[in-house]
Every structure is written in C-alpha cells, then in structure tokens.
Amino acid sequence: MCGIVGAVAQRNVIPILLEGLHRLEYRGYDSAGLVTVNGGLKRVRSVGRVAALSEETKSQGVHGHLGIAHTRWATHGAPTEINAHPHVSHDEIAVVHNGIIENHESLREKLKGLGYRFESETDTEVIVHLVHLHYRQKRDLLDAVKATVSELRGAYAIGVIARDAPNQLVCARKGSPLIIGLGLEENFIASDASALLPVTQRMIYLEEGDIADLGLLKVSVFNSAGEEVEREAHVSELSADMAELGPYRHYMQKEIHEQPRALADTLQNALLPGGLKPELFGAEAANILSKIKAVTILACGTSYHAGRVAGYWLESIAGMPTNVEIASEYRYRDTIPNPDALVVTISQSGETADTLAALNQALTLGHVHTLSICNVPESSLVRASKLKFLTRAGPEIGVASTKAFTTQLAALFLLTLVLAKLHGKLSPEQESVHLAALRQLPEQAQEVLKLEPEVETWARRFAHKHHALFLGRGQHYPIAMEGALKLKEISYIHAEAYAAGELKHGPLALVDKDMPVVAVAPNDLLLDKLKSNLQEVRARGGELYVFADLDTHIAPNDFVNVIQLGSHAGPLSPILHTLPLQLLSYHAALQKGTDVDKPRNLAKSVTVE
C-alpha cells in the first residue's frame, strides 16, 4: 500500500527521500510526491513511477534539510497529480498520510464552513487543513497535530512539516504502521523499515496512538493519553543489500529461488537436538498450547491458503478441530466464541488491516489464546498476540507472495507437531520421522526448482490463454487455489481452482481445448480419485498440465503434459508442489510482458480495509 518517508537532517534530504520511496515501490502505488522546506514549501508530485518524480525533482533543483515523501495507492480519488501526496494547506503545512479517515466527509464540511478550499478528492486533505487550523491557533506544530488526531476517526500514519519550523518533523500513527529511524544529528520516519536501511538500522516502532516530535538531536514520543514515554530502539537485522535484485530478472524470481534458504532459516531453531519444544512459539507457549481444544485461523489472500493447508494438518496429525476463516469475513459475521480455542493470525507484513481487525474482534469476543505467524518482528500483529512465530523469509519485495507463503507453511507444520506432542498425539518415533522430513525439505525444494526450464516451456503455451483451471484434492486443494491466485495476480490470466471431485458439479462445463487444466498430483491416498477426475477432463477435450510425484503412473501424451517432482513428501508435499506453480505463473507473466513485481491494482501490504 501507500508508503511514507520523512527526514530532518543537516544535509540535503532529497536523495534520502527518493531512495526511500524507491525501496517502497514494491508495496504498490500509482503516484508519488515529496515536499521540502527551504525558505518555503517546495512540492513536486507525479503520476506513475518514482523514477518520474526523481527526474522532475532533479530538473527543478529541489533540495532542503527537512522533507516528507509519499507513494500513493489510490483509495479516495483517482490516481492523478492533484490527488497525489503530499497535501499542502496555505503554503504553510504539508502532510503525507497512509490509511483511511472514516469521518472525512463531516470534517470536510466543517472546514469548508471555515473557509478552507479543497483541491483534491482525497480524505487526506482534511488532515492538512485541520493541522493548519490548529497551528494558526496554537503556533506549535506538535500541539496542532495532537489536536488534529483527536478529531480523526479511522486509520492513519501521518508525517507533518511546517514552513516556519525548518528543523521539526511530527508524526503520528493509529491502525497503520510507522517507524522512526535514529541517526547521528538526523532522524527519519517511514512506513516500512526497508526504506530506512541505507541511512540507519536503529529504529523505534511506534505504538498504537503514538505521536512523535523529531528534531536534529532529539526524538520525543507521546502516547495516546498525551504522556511522554520511552519507546525502545531496536537494531534491525535487515541490511540494505538484502533487498537488492542481484543476478535475477525480477524480485519474484529471486524470491522463488530463495525458498530453500528461507525454509532452512525458518526451521533452524526447531531442528536443534532435543526434539520439538513449545518455546518456539513463546515463553508461555507450553502452558497455553497444552490447554487449547480447538484452533481458529484468520488470514487473507495467500496467507489464508496457508491456513487452509494447516487445517488438514491440525486435524489429521494433532487431532485438533480447526476452523479457517477469511479475516475480512470473520469480523463481519456472528461467531460463537470458544474460550478454549487458539486464535492463529497469519500475515507476511503483520500490518494487514483486515487480519488485525479480525484479531481485535476475536479479543473482543473473549478469546485470550492468540498466536501470530509473521515475517516482521515488530509488526502490529506480533505485538497484539500473546504467542508468536517469526518466519525468517527475509525481505519479500515482489507483490505476489512466494517465500513468505512456504515459510508460513513450515511454521504451521511446526505448530501442528507441537500441538500433537503436547496433546499426546505424537509418539517419539513419529516425531523423529517428521523432523527428519523437515531437515530434508530445503534440499528437496532446491531439487524442484531445477525444473524451471521445463516449467518455462509450459508457460510459453499459457501466455496466449485467457482462462485456466487448477485442480487439487485434500491438502493440495489449497495449493491449487494458491496456484490460480498467482497466475491471476501477475499474468492477468483468469484462473479458478476447484477441489477435483467438484468437477462434475459444474466446472466441467468450462472445459474445452482452449481451457488449460493444471493438476497437482501427489502420490497419496487420493491419487486414484484424482486420476478419475483427470479422465473427465480428457473426455471433454481438455488439455492437462500435471505436476506429479514419481510413481504416479500418469503417462504423458499429446494432450497430457507431465512434470515429475520426485518422491512423495508425505504431509510436507504441499510445500514442494507450490514451487512449480509459482514458476509457472512467473514465466507466463514474463511471456506476456506484464510488470511481474508490481502487478496492476495490487499492493504488497494491504493496510486499509
């Protein structure tokens, strides 16, 4: 979603702002802008990529020691220059904003009544005029921002500067992430740590409702009650070069090939001598997990698909009744609370608005046992949950999630084994077998990725198709769902996934020679059933593309294309079968010439509802 960068320094901050925006491009956006204080406010905005903003800034010779910048993903108002951030009021106050102000219409009417003129369609413009109104009365930027946020209803992360305060940057957050970067006689803000890595690794993660006042030498933080508080500074484990593209054509390709290492890193602490320990999920995990009698999983998009796979594992291995919910649906339907359930939330960023809201709904209903599976240590989701497991996927830049998904699956499998062990469903012998399989998983993933040339050949035949059908059964049905989602996201080919047994209940009507059918075919107990479903496709003239385990005895011919992955990996098979589906979507998009890493209309971190 939208990105924020801000800086106050004794050097020209324009390169810092532009580099920060460049590092936030992966979040998805359609316009960009910046404003700096240099005698007055100097603003530059553009529709399109940060590169265009950079050229315009350079041509105008813009510089300054204080500035804020933004990449906008359009919500209120079309992606036009006039709607792009920063927004300015009376050439005195400038604001950048992530989130949605729910009461912007009533505030707009109030401000219009006071003589303020609105130029844009955005909800953000009410913020800058409100700050100006209060600043005119108080002549203190911090007090003006405090007064302003007290009137806002909704989600926001804001950065604010004033023409008359050339060394002051004020920011605030509620429901949208914001980070302070600490430098030497310079300080920064950003919506994502990656934007600040070139200038600092020391960061403060603001809490819900915090307001901060940044100068050259000091950072002051105030909580939602207006009290000055100390927020711990953390040293990020990330480095600036971790987000570099290297020898790959796109970040998505790089991140697909990083999965063996990401899996190994995520599993590292779990595979130490001594067997599985509940403490993998937090100091209180043994006590909490031994008491629970059910699991509710809340997630969106790709993370929801990971939860769907986990539902099969948790019930079949741990004997734990499991309910997997789309987070955006859970929060708006009547549910029956179960105080004995573990509520598991899954999110790559830990800032997914619908997942955070679903967690808050669960807490409101009285659920006290909560666990987050996330890739970002100081994210809102992690801080709001009692237990946590941090996947160690590293930065994921491509909008279409790849290594975040497979590391989430690895984390959920560990959770399954720990619950099974605590509840007497896992013998020592079974534990040893599963741990041995996990140790082999990174190497097996590496072997599957060697199939890329074969998958690329298939992708050339996909590029001119308009529709595709993905089939799977059992724990591989969510993997088919994920494969269809990936193809849609980056190639714009319409794709649907079905449990293969549902073919005869409607989808078979779609099958013809122009509808490629992709099947996930592991050598498991459902293989014979799946083969019957594939025969139904062939009988209607459909062409099959089958990702099969060894010994499935699915013979290739002119209309049945088969790629063999290797021996069946048991319950870990969904992780391995995910990889060629990712490669298929990547190469199909490559053939079509789409923007692989930044697909249209999508954002990496969905921080608005």
Side-chain angles (χ1 to χ4, degrees), residues 333-351:
R333 76 175 187 87
D334 294 329
T335 57
I336 301 173
N338 180 358
D340 295 323
L342 175 70
V343 175
V344 180
T345 51
I346 313 170
S347 169
Q348 186 279 140
S349 67
E351 305 294 347

Side-chain angles (χ1 to χ4, degrees), residues 142-286:
L142 177 61
D143 288 344
V145 173
K146 287 181 177 179
T148 295
V149 298
S150 70
E151 298 189 53
L152 302 180
R153 194 170 68 244
Y156 57 80
I158 58 173
V160 187
I161 60 176
R163 180 189 64 194
D164 301 331
N167 294 308
Q168 184 181 24
L169 170 56
V170 178
C171 64
R173 68 147 298 200
K174 180 183 177 183
S176 195
L178 199 63
I179 297 167
I180 294 174
L182 304 174
L184 185 62
E185 297 188 0
E186 57 184 16
N187 291 298
F188 316 92
I189 64 169
S191 51
D192 189 308
S194 62
L196 300 182
L197 292 175
V199 289
T200 184
Q201 287 181 281
R202 293 184 63 232
M203 300 179 190
I204 294 173
Y205 295 82
L206 293 178
E207 300 285 344
E208 186 79 349
D210 279 355
I211 300 172
D213 187 10
L214 286 70
L216 292 170
L217 302 175
K218 184 180 179 183
V219 171
S220 301
V221 180
F222 303 85
N223 63 18
S224 57
E227 305 161 332
E228 187 166 0
V229 292
E230 290 289 330
R231 295 287 185 232
E232 183 182 357
H234 300 264
V235 178
S236 175
E237 296 180 3
L238 303 176
S239 61
D241 60 355
M242 289 179 73
E244 297 300 327
L245 189 57
Y248 296 96
R249 295 183 65 175
H250 297 91
Y251 282 107
M252 183 178 179
Q253 185 187 31
K254 174 178 183 278
E255 288 153 12
I256 289 171
H257 283 273
E258 285 177 338
Q259 285 174 109
R261 171 50 55 194
L263 287 166
D265 289 346
T266 297
L267 294 168
Q268 182 178 11
N269 292 335
L271 301 180
L272 297 173
L276 287 167
K277 294 180 172 57
E279 288 73 23
L280 287 167
F281 297 91
E284 300 179 70

Side-chain angles (χ1 to χ4, degrees), residues 469-482:
L469 198 60
F470 285 69
L471 302 177
R473 296 203 71 144
Q475 64 181 2
H476 293 83
Y477 168 44
I479 297 306
M481 295 168 68
E482 176 63 12

Side-chain angles (χ1 to χ4, degrees), residues 291-305:
K291 293 178 181 177
I292 67 156
K293 298 178 181 178
V295 176
T296 295
I297 298 176
L298 306 174
C300 299
T302 286
S303 296
Y304 168 71
H305 296 158

Side-chain angles (χ1 to χ4, degrees), residues 6-17 35-40 62-68 161 165-169 185-188 215-216:
V8 53
Q10 298 190 69
R11 54 174 164 156
N12 181 19
V13 300
I14 299 300
I16 297 170
L17 300 180
V35 64
T36 186
V37 175
N38 190 353
V62 179
H63 65 282
H65 293 175
L66 170 67
I68 49 178
I161 60 176
N167 294 308
Q168 184 181 24
L169 170 56
E185 297 188 0
E186 57 184 16
N187 291 298
F188 316 92
L216 292 170

Side-chain angles (χ1 to χ4, degrees), residues 18 56 79 130 157 248 285 304 321 335 343 388 461 473 487 528 566:
L18 291 171
E56 187 64 25
L130 267 180
Y248 296 96
Y304 168 71
T335 57
V343 175
K388 66 181 179 182
R461 299 163 68 177
R473 296 203 71 144
L487 192 68
D528 288 338

